[in-house]
């Protein structure tokens, strides 16, 4: 498009989904500006991230080189019983990275003067020729395309499709990282470098090695990341969990330093009572466990003329699929392809994007619901089938075709 004025894309949300889209569109010749609510660079959003081939395809399309510092390669999965005995194994090769590493790579690939911190979207206004975004700080930006990559509580979606709301699944995920150096030699030998599971009634613990606190992926410098699904009744248990040290009530998670110490101690005791001893040790060695409530979100529509929803703003599947980040990368690639094929005819391109990603998003959400049906309290034979050592090793966060 030499000589022509580039069309402008406004990306709302500067996390992974927004950065995948912003980087791809910039390389496709768009004049991209990204607006993030947070006043500071994003850090420490969760811990380990499971990867799938589509995520690497997106990074490759962006020209981001991957080396050994990207993640930890895992050759197999194991299941432990309550006594700590290894009761099964399955060869599944996967690379486990972290949210922080991905953010760092994507942020470095996007020009700093186009990434606008401290901009909270308040309203979008769309006309036939363009779209305008108004922010809480009084700024208004205009463009030919707007991408709502503003997460599960998307302000873009709330304005355009108020019927799509997150649905609490009835359980939370406790997460944390333990430095491998702090583990006893026998626990270390059992868990490294493996993806491991431990099951209890309506509870599922899983863990895998990731980069360490110094971001090193070298043996001896890594962490063991755990994700422990535990039931929490919405009105009593979740409300209690979400009340912080100052008595303030939060919505779906509490900033880790503000979680009440008695809650963390209760979780550590529960790990001793319920889990394989290797995992209770990991939970005790994790300096700052934190929790996230688990939600489903399904949108009946993800495009509105010149506006598209992407990543968690469009669909949120339970993390059993391990697909959140890969889905956001896939959304961004399909959007990029559609815009190129339509020669940047935005409404036509978005119709194509809608038909492809609507089906994909719905399929991932449905699969996450199946995998989590037992944890949510369903007492059917099918739900129980997802809660055996063999099933979790075979089904959880594996790469599969969704449509
Ligand atoms: C327990 C758990 C485990 C998980 N494990 C995995 C895994 O192994 N693999 C995986 O791929 N995924 C996993 N996920 C999911 C993954 O974290 C998300 O799917 C992914 O981060 C989605 O990115 P996003 O950019 O769409 O949304 P988000 O990361 O939520 O980003 C939205 C951004 O928009 C900004 N924003 C919000 N409102 C506004 C506004 N009004 N104006 C401007 N900006 C705004 C926010 O500040 C934020 O930066 C897991 C999730 C959970 C809860």
């Amino acid at each position: 498009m030499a000589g022509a004025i580039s069309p402008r894309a406004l990306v709302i949300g500067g996390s992974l989904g927004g950065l995948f889209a912003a980087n791809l569109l910039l390389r496709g010749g768009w004049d991209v500006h990204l607006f993030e609510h947070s006043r500071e660079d994003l850090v420490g959003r969760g811990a380990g991230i499971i990867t799938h081939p589509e995520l690497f395809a997106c990074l490759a399309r962006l020209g981001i080189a991957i080396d050994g510092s990207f993640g930890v390669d895992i050759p197999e999965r194991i299941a432990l019983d309550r006594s700590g005995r290894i009761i099964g194994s399955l060869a599944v090769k996967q690379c486990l990275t972290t949210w922080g590493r991905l953010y760092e790579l994507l942020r470095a690939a996007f020009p700093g003067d186009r990434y606008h911190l401290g901009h909270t979207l308040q309203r979008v206004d769309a006309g036939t020729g363009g779209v305008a975004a108004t922010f809480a700080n009084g700024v208004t930006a205009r463009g030919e395309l707007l991408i709502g990559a503003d997460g599960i509580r998307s302000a873009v979606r709330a304005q355009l499709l108020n019927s799509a709301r997150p649905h609490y699944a009835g359980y939370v995920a406790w997460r944390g990282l333990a430095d491998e150096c702090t583990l006893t030699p026998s626990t270390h030998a059992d868990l490294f470098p493996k993806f491991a599971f431990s099951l209890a009634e309506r509870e599922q613990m899983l863990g895998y090695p990731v980069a360490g606190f110094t971001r090193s992926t070298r043996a001896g410098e890594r962490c063991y990341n755990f994700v422990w699904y535990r039931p929490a009744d919405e009105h009593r248990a979740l409300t209690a969990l979400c009340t912080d040290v100052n008595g303030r009530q939060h919505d779906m998670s509490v900033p880790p330093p503000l979680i009440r110490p008695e809650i963390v101690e209760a979780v550590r005791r529960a790990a001793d009572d319920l889990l394989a001893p290797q995992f209770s040790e990991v939970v005790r060695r994790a300096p700052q466990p934190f929790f996230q409530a688990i939600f489903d979100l399904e949108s009946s529509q993800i495009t509105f003329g010149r506006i598209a929803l992407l990543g968690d703003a469009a669909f949120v599947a339970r993390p059993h699929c391990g697909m959140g980040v890969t889905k956001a990368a896939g959304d961004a690639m399909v959007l990029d392809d559609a815009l190129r094929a339509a020669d940047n005819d935005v409404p036509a391109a978005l119709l194509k994007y809608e038909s492809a990603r609507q089906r994909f998003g719905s399929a991932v959400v449905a699969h996450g619901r199946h995998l989590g049906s037992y944890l949510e309290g369903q007492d059917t034979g099918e739900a129980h089938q997802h809660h055996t050592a063999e099933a979790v090793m075979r089904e959880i966060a594996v790469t599969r075709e969704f449509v």
Side-chain angles (χ1 to χ4, degrees):
M1 49 174 76
I5 297 172
S6 299
R8 175 168 288 183
L10 313 175
V11 178
I12 312 300
S15 174
L16 302 183
L19 279 167
F20 284 128
N23 272 303
L24 284 172
L25 265 56
L26 190 71
R27 284 154 183 78
W30 284 79
D31 171 20
V32 185
H33 285 269
L34 183 153
F35 302 92
E36 165 55 40
H37 150 81
S38 171
R39 290 176 185 281
E40 289 154 19
D41 261 328
L42 309 178
V43 280
R45 300 282 190 87
I49 294 290
I50 291 157
T51 64
H52 301 280
E54 209 175 4
L55 173 60
F56 289 103
C58 189
L59 296 172
R61 198 187 277 200
L62 292 173
I64 295 177
I66 299 300
D67 59 21
S69 68
F70 179 71
V72 178
D73 290 319
I74 290 176
E76 72 168 331
R77 297 176 165 208
I78 59 168
L80 303 165
D81 72 8
R82 170 71 188 83
S83 73
R85 195 167 53 97
I86 297 174
I87 52 170
S89 67
L90 189 69
V92 178
K93 289 197 174 98
Q94 250 169 340
C95 175
L96 285 309
T97 186
T98 56
W99 189 96
R101 184 77 184 113
L102 278 166
Y103 177 74
E104 183 178 66
L105 290 168
L106 292 166
R107 184 80 166 86
F110 191 70
D113 59 349
R114 292 175 176 274
Y115 189 105
H116 308 286
L117 290 164
H119 282 66
T120 303
L121 181 92
Q122 273 194 327
R123 203 180 71 240
V124 289
D125 294 290
T128 45
V131 57
T134 304
F135 299 92
N137 57 8
V139 170
T140 297
R142 292 188 170 74
E144 281 74 47
L145 164 66
L146 183 141
I147 298 173
D150 48 345
I152 188 168
R153 305 277 179 206
S154 168
V156 179
R157 191 190 66 240
Q159 186 185 324
L160 300 168
L161 188 71
N162 194 30
S163 58
R165 306 255 172 93
H167 171 74
Y168 177 54
Y171 52 99
V172 301
W174 275 93
R175 308 182 76 179
L177 292 167
D179 188 325
E180 66 175 310
C181 290
T182 64
L183 300 175
T184 56
S186 65
T187 292
H188 191 277
D190 285 343
L191 296 183
F192 277 81
K194 292 168 199 154
F195 196 136
F197 295 89
S198 171
L199 302 178
E201 194 179 337
R202 280 201 67 195
E203 314 233 355
Q204 182 190 106
M205 170 61 114
L206 59 87
Y208 45 79
V210 291
F213 292 122
T214 60
R215 299 187 184 176
S216 168
T217 53
R218 282 195 292 272
E221 298 174 358
R222 301 160 296 183
C223 278
Y224 205 72
N225 169 73
F226 73 82
V227 183
W228 183 12
Y229 299 104
R230 311 204 66 202
D233 157 70
E234 183 168 6
H235 299 294
R236 282 176 298 113
L238 186 60
T239 305
L241 283 176
C242 290
T243 309
D244 74 15
V245 272
N246 303 314
R248 195 178 145 223
Q249 190 65 42
H250 295 255
D251 195 12
M252 50 203 267
S253 67
V254 175
L258 298 183
I259 298 175
R260 284 180 288 139
E262 61 269 31
I263 294 216
V264 174
E265 191 39 45
V267 161
R268 290 186 169 131
R269 278 199 310 273
D272 296 340
D273 292 343
L274 298 170
L275 300 176
Q278 294 93 327
F279 272 122
S280 70
E281 193 181 319
V282 167
V283 175
R284 287 216 167 261
R285 299 285 185 271
Q288 193 156 68
F290 63 97
F291 67 90
Q292 290 166 297
I294 301 302
F295 288 88
D296 300 309
L297 170 82
E298 209 167 352
S299 300
S300 56
Q301 192 181 342
I302 58 169
T303 65
F304 310 84
R306 293 178 171 273
I307 299 171
L309 300 175
L310 178 149
D312 280 10
F315 289 93
V316 177
R318 301 185 193 178
H320 316 302
C321 304
M323 274 299 288
V325 174
T326 296
K327 187 181 75 59
D331 288 349
M333 286 196 290
V334 171
L335 183 61
D336 181 41
D337 288 340
L339 288 164
R340 285 172 195 261
D343 201 17
N344 294 344
D345 174 345
V346 173
L350 295 201
L351 286 177
K352 270 193 172 173
Y353 170 74
E354 164 104 32
S355 90
R357 297 317 273 182
Q358 176 75 37
R359 273 189 306 142
F360 187 89
S362 296
V364 183
V365 171
H367 189 58
R369 282 192 183 125
H370 282 305
L371 296 184
S373 52
Y374 173 80
L375 300 173
E376 134 188 353
Q378 287 188 30
D379 199 16
T380 62
E382 200 195 330
H384 281 266
Q385 277 173 20
H386 296 300
H387 196 67
T388 66
E390 293 72 28
V392 290
M393 285 191 293
R394 197 179 59 243
E395 296 179 336
I396 296 299
V398 291
T399 298
R400 72 196 294 277
E401 293 287 321
F402 282 97
V403 286

